[in-house]
Amino acid sequence: MRFERCRLLFGEEGFEKLQKAHVLILGVGGVGSYALDCLYRSGVGRITILDYDRYEESNRNRQIGSDCAVGECKVSTLEQLYPGIETIRQKMDLEWVETFDFEPYDLVIDAADTTRIKIEVARRCWRKLLMSLGSAKRIDASRVQVASIWKSHGDALGRKIRNELKKAKFDRNFTVVFSPEEPKCKEKGSFVGVTGTFGLTLCSEAVKRLLAT
């Protein structure tokens, strides 16, 4: 009964594809935690999350799991909230990107914050990548869009990633979720209406891609 309505929507064959899929989420903050929740409720059979951080008080405005777990490890808390997921507590540095095996995963959702790490992840697994660009400092969820990294616009993080990839003569295509909305503040302001929309949109793109395989 749990997934009855997903089965009705996706069909038995489609739902079985989701059940057999394995998705990796890099970063489970304001974007990644909503992608996790959506994938979990949609019937994706295997979900692995990777993060190193602990919850801070300032996370409580946008991150699933943060309300009663300030000071606790994010992946450990989410493992309790979403039984059956697999967790990796690991700092995402360049050495990790270079040595991590992305092969077992059908899709990789990049919801990490560090520009250099995002660039290297793209270079390693662009074929199976769905990447979040900047979701902070925005308030209009209707502006959230999906496009190729090369067609995204109005986002400083995306522009930096494109420039660095061009310097490295990397011209492969991968999908990003972004918003061209003008930032509303200079500081790290954030609104769950937008960060959550990014996460849900990444999940939607993941489900569509898995159903199409």
Side-chain angles (χ1 to χ4, degrees), residues 152-170:
S152 62
H153 56 93
D155 177 89
L157 176 58
R159 182 168 59 253
K160 186 172 183 179
I161 289 173
R162 289 193 299 274
N163 289 340
E164 291 299 318
L165 290 176
K166 288 176 182 176
K167 289 179 184 178
K169 300 187 183 305
F170 179 92

Side-chain angles (χ1 to χ4, degrees), residues 53-140:
D53 294 341
R54 296 178 180 272
Y55 289 114
E56 299 177 3
E57 184 68 24
S58 61
N59 298 150
R60 294 181 64 191
N61 79 316
R62 68 195 184 283
Q63 297 188 15
I64 293 177
S66 61
D67 275 329
C68 300
V70 173
E72 299 297 321
C73 176
K74 291 182 183 181
V75 295
S76 297
T77 299
L78 292 171
E79 188 176 27
Q80 296 176 39
L81 291 175
Y82 301 94
I85 67 170
E86 301 168 40
T87 64
I88 304 172
R89 189 170 187 229
Q90 170 68 49
K91 287 185 177 179
M92 286 179 275
D93 54 24
L94 291 178
E95 181 180 0
W96 168 79
V97 178
E98 292 170 359
T99 59
F100 187 77
D101 183 11
F102 291 97
E103 185 61 30
Y105 306 98
D106 297 295
L107 291 175
V108 177
I109 292 178
D110 172 20
D113 295 326
T114 307
T115 304
R116 190 60 187 164
I117 299 304
K118 297 177 85 68
I119 291 169
E120 292 306 313
V121 168
R123 288 163 60 91
R124 285 289 315 278
C125 62
W126 57 272
R127 288 183 178 86
K128 57 182 69 177
L129 180 62
L130 298 168
M131 178 184 287
S132 171
L133 297 182
S135 63
K137 307 178 185 180
R138 295 163 171 86
I139 62 174
D140 188 352

Side-chain angles (χ1 to χ4, degrees), residues 6 10-20 207 210-211:
C6 293
F10 303 139
E12 286 298 327
E13 182 179 349
F15 185 74
E16 288 305 312
K17 290 180 179 180
L18 299 184
Q19 288 275 279
K20 294 176 181 178
V207 167
L210 292 170
L211 291 175

